[in-house]
């Protein structure tokens, strides 16, 4: 059986990309503290140690607050931007959208460093709020992209029919538009939440003394005895990310099917 060079490259690339993720649960359930083969036995001790760690629970709590806040705020901002760009024409539309989408192409270390300098110059104390601000900045472009697709696939005749029947712009948006783009809104919130939970650089610059889950993981990698607990935590995070992305993809496809659009590919 002949294998083309492109197919072989694809297989090797996928193995290189996903092999470390596959090995996470293998070593998370390993009884030894050294991450190496051969395995010494099966254990769930590292998951118990993870659940009993107070600092880890605090970091998780902070990350959940930041993630939920980021999901809501970035989706609301994305909703306004997507609605404006898909339904209205105005001067400077291209530059405005380019400015909104700019964090997608800027290195996060530049964004984090710049925000740190500006916030300290303004006398703002670093806290969870400053991390939320930074995460909203980098998550909003993703929300705009998702919601723009949702609004673009929505037939304008639905709104026009509502106007003809005497509905106001607000009632039309609330009763007609919003239910139709709701799958896109849910998908945007899930993606924004996942981005915030996984983000390290912005949190490293702006968290101050408040630990987040990524910064806590980074701080513990210096201690060999903590590595198995981090592997257990990583296993849980990978599982949670897969679940969230699957839910987001489900609602994205449901939204496209609901509006009669054509699926051009998605998150998964």
């Amino acid at each position: 059986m002949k294998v083309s060079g492109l197919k072989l490259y694809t297989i090797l690339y996928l193995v290189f990309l996903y092999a470390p993720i596959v090995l996470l649960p293998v070593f998370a359930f390993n009884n030894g503290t050294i991450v190496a083969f051969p395995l010494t036995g099966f254990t769930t001790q590292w998951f118990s140690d993870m659940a009993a760690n107070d600092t880890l629970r605090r970091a998780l709590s902070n990350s959940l607050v930041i993630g939920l806040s980021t999901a809501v705020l970035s989706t609301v901002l994305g909703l306004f931007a997507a609605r404006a760009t898909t339904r209205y024409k105005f001067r400077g539309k291209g530059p405005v959208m380019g400015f909104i989408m700019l964090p997608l192409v800027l290195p996060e270390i530049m964004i984090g460093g710049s925000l740190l300098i500006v916030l300290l110059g303004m006398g703002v104390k670093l806290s969870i709020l400053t991390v939320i601000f930074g995460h909203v900045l980098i998550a909003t472009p993703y929300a705009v992209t998702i919601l723009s697709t949702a609004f673009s696939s929505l037939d304008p005749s639905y709104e026009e029919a509502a106007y003809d029947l005497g509905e106001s712009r607000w009632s039309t948006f609330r009763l007609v538009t919003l239910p139709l783009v709701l799958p896109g809104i849910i998908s945007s919130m899930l993606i924004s939440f996942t981005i915030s939970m996984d983000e390290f650089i912005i949190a490293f610059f702006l968290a101050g003394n408040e630990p987040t889950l990524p910064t806590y993981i980074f701080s513990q990698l210096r201690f060999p005895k903590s590595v198995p607990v981090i592997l257990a935590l990583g296993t849980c995070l990978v599982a949670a990310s897969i679940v969230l992305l699957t839910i987001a993809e489900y609602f994205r496809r449901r939204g496209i099917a609901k509006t009669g659009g054509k699926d051009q590919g998605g998150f998964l």
Side-chain angles (χ1 to χ4, degrees):
M1 181 179 178
K2 294 183 178 180
V3 180
S4 65
L6 181 60
K7 184 179 293 187
L8 179 62
Y9 169 79
T10 303
I11 294 173
L12 293 175
Y13 174 78
L14 292 175
V15 170
F16 174 79
L17 188 65
Y18 291 107
I21 298 177
V22 173
L23 290 175
L24 267 178
V26 173
F27 290 111
F29 289 101
N30 181 34
N31 192 36
T33 57
I34 300 176
V35 183
F37 290 102
L39 303 178
T40 58
F42 179 84
T43 184
T44 59
Q45 175 189 348
W46 314 125
F47 291 90
S48 301
D49 293 346
M50 177 187 70
N53 191 315
D54 292 334
T55 306
L56 174 56
R57 288 203 299 268
R58 181 184 174 191
L60 176 60
S61 176
N62 288 341
S63 288
L64 289 175
V65 170
I66 294 169
L68 291 173
S69 301
T70 300
V72 173
L73 293 174
S74 60
T75 299
V76 170
L77 294 175
L79 188 66
F80 294 153
R83 174 68 177 178
T85 55
T86 56
R87 286 293 183 268
Y88 303 102
K89 295 181 179 179
F90 52 88
R91 184 175 298 178
K93 178 179 176 180
V96 169
M97 284 304 298
F99 184 74
I100 292 174
M101 305 302 288
L102 193 59
L104 283 176
V105 296
L106 287 177
E108 287 190 13
I109 193 168
M110 289 179 55
I111 297 175
S114 301
L115 287 174
L116 178 63
I117 294 172
V118 171
L119 292 173
L120 291 180
M122 296 172 59
V124 178
K125 183 180 179 181
L126 299 182
S127 64
I128 291 178
L129 289 177
T130 55
V131 180
I132 292 173
F133 177 78
H135 283 189
V136 169
L137 182 65
I138 62 173
T140 297
Y142 294 93
V144 172
T145 302
I146 296 169
L147 292 169
S148 293
T149 303
F151 277 112
S152 298
S153 59
L154 178 62
D155 192 344
S157 62
Y158 295 143
E159 296 175 335
E160 294 171 0
Y163 296 149
D164 292 339
L165 293 173
E167 294 290 346
S168 65
R169 287 186 177 275
W170 166 245
S171 60
T172 298
F173 180 78
R174 180 171 58 88
L175 299 174
V176 178
T177 307
L178 200 59
L180 290 174
V181 299
L182 185 60
I185 293 174
I186 296 174
S187 180
S188 170
M189 293 184 68
L190 290 171
I191 292 298
S192 299
F193 178 80
T194 303
I195 291 171
S196 177
M197 287 291 291
D198 293 341
E199 204 285 324
F200 167 75
I201 297 176
I202 302 295
F204 181 79
F205 277 102
L206 303 181
N209 294 325
E210 291 292 338
T212 64
L213 211 52
T215 57
Y216 172 80
I217 292 173
F218 177 75
S219 68
Q220 294 301 301
L221 290 176
R222 297 173 295 172
F223 309 108
K225 291 184 178 180
S226 299
V227 171
V229 177
I230 297 303
L231 293 176
L233 176 61
T235 301
C236 296
L237 291 177
V238 169
S241 297
I242 292 174
V243 170
L244 287 176
L245 286 173
T246 302
I247 295 173
E249 177 70 3
Y250 167 77
F251 279 105
R252 187 194 68 83
R253 294 186 181 185
R254 182 181 176 185
I256 292 176
K258 197 172 184 179
T259 56
K262 185 178 180 181
D263 193 357
Q264 300 294 334
F267 307 118
L268 304 180

